[in-house]
Amino acid sequence: MSAHQSQPSFPFQNTVLTGACGGLGQELARQLLARGAVVALVGLNRTALDALAATAPYRCAVYTPDVADPAAMQACAQDWVGRFGVPDLLIANAGVAGGFDTAQADDLAVMRRMLEINVLGVATTFQPFLDSMRAQGRGSLVGVASLAGWRGMPGNGAYCASKGALIRYLESLRAELRGSSLRVHTVSPGYLRTPLTAGNQFVMPGLMEADDAARALLAGVARGREHIVLPRRMGWLSRALGLLPAAWHDRILLGQPRKPRVGEAGATAIPGLPPRQ
């Protein structure tokens, strides 16, 4: 029995997925395709996306835009709807991470680009489909934020700021769509075993495998959960730490190695950054 046959109640059949070539994104794509969905694979690694599409060539289309470019995302949306129809599931998963130091002038460009991808990129993913999904009368919009957006962490100000802003944006959108047929879901992963965390030199409690995270995310969205924490126990830990006095909390975090900045060993690439002088 196929994965799709064993899960007949899965309610989504037409998905647009950004960040489809990353660790979590690849697992989401594989599991959505296994459930029989048609999937728009959006990302920057054409080779990885083509390999995914080859597993279900008649149920995929590959797009490689900058997710922060509204015109490029509009063009993707127009092509997808023309070929496969209006989606019932949007997963804005594209995101970048990296250490940040306000004292370093070059890091200001890192922060700008991180905000463009992690926050604006979600809005530019949703916007082209919103009216048609409302007219269709059903659909879920999923933004992949992070537990890092719940509280600032030393050396990680750009990423925390971007994910915190994303959480607030999704709250606003959810409020605007109350009473409609559309749902908005905020996903807050902790540490997932993906390329984004591969260079981390600090303790990563609750480290979760990407396939398990993808399975839990899709199950939570299918059940209509508006807030999904991966893994759930990390939400409890974050809330418990939040009860500490701020100075104690900061002291704990200051004792950990910081996330590598762009250009340092273990740093992940951030596409679209201007060349450093």
Side-chain angles (χ1 to χ4, degrees):
M1 181 178 289
S2 72
H4 177 49
Q5 290 172 327
S6 64
Q7 300 186 47
S9 62
F10 189 68
F12 306 107
Q13 291 303 306
N14 186 319
T15 302
V16 174
L17 170 65
T18 69
C21 46
L24 177 61
Q26 281 201 357
E27 289 299 333
L28 286 168
R30 291 189 184 105
Q31 293 182 29
L32 286 163
L33 291 170
R35 287 163 167 79
V38 295
V39 184
L41 301 170
V42 184
L44 294 178
N45 186 332
R46 182 85 200 201
T47 301
L49 296 179
D50 284 344
L52 281 170
T55 67
Y58 301 107
R59 292 191 283 119
C60 295
V62 169
Y63 302 97
T64 57
D66 177 347
V67 293
D69 181 339
M73 293 303 292
Q74 287 275 359
C76 291
Q78 184 176 6
D79 181 80
W80 177 257
V81 172
R83 296 168 64 182
F84 292 94
V86 177
D88 50 23
L89 178 62
L90 302 179
I91 304 179
N93 171 65
V96 292
F100 178 79
D101 185 345
T102 301
Q104 303 299 320
D106 284 345
D107 280 12
L108 296 176
V110 172
M111 186 177 211
R112 179 187 298 274
R113 188 62 181 145
M114 208 173 291
L115 289 166
E116 288 176 348
I117 295 172
N118 293 358
V119 186
L120 180 61
V122 177
T124 57
T125 297
F126 292 167
Q127 187 278 324
F129 299 102
L130 201 55
D131 283 344
S132 57
M133 288 177 73
R134 272 194 284 223
Q136 175 178 254
R138 69 183 187 281
S140 283
L141 299 91
V142 181
V144 179
S146 170
L147 285 175
W150 291 19
R151 193 188 190 284
M153 296 186 290
N156 213 15
Y159 184 70
C160 292
S162 70
K163 293 302 187 177
L166 175 55
I167 289 169
R168 295 296 174 253
Y169 164 68
L170 294 169
E171 284 179 350
S172 301
L173 183 61
R174 182 179 299 115
E176 293 164 13
L177 295 175
R178 290 286 185 201
S180 78
S181 55
L182 303 186
R183 289 181 176 270
V184 177
H185 308 262
T186 301
V187 181
S188 295
Y191 294 111
L192 306 184
R193 196 185 303 277
T194 72
L196 285 182
T197 61
N200 291 352
Q201 299 300 314
F202 46 82
V203 175
M204 293 186 285
L207 184 65
M208 192 176 192
E209 299 297 331
D211 60 338
D212 292 332
R215 193 173 301 109
L217 186 157
L218 294 176
V221 172
R223 289 195 295 266
R225 287 172 51 200
E226 293 182 346
H227 299 278
I228 300 167
V229 178
L230 305 172
R232 186 175 295 186
R233 65 183 182 276
M234 286 303 297
W236 303 333
L237 177 59
S238 294
R239 291 186 181 95
L241 287 173
L243 297 176
L244 294 175
W248 295 9
H249 192 282
D250 292 344
R251 194 172 297 120
I252 292 170
L253 294 177
L254 283 168
Q256 298 293 319
R258 296 193 178 191
K259 191 168 184 66
R261 295 169 50 241
V262 171
E264 294 180 344
T268 52
I270 297 180
L273 274 180
R276 296 200 162 190
Q277 301 300 318

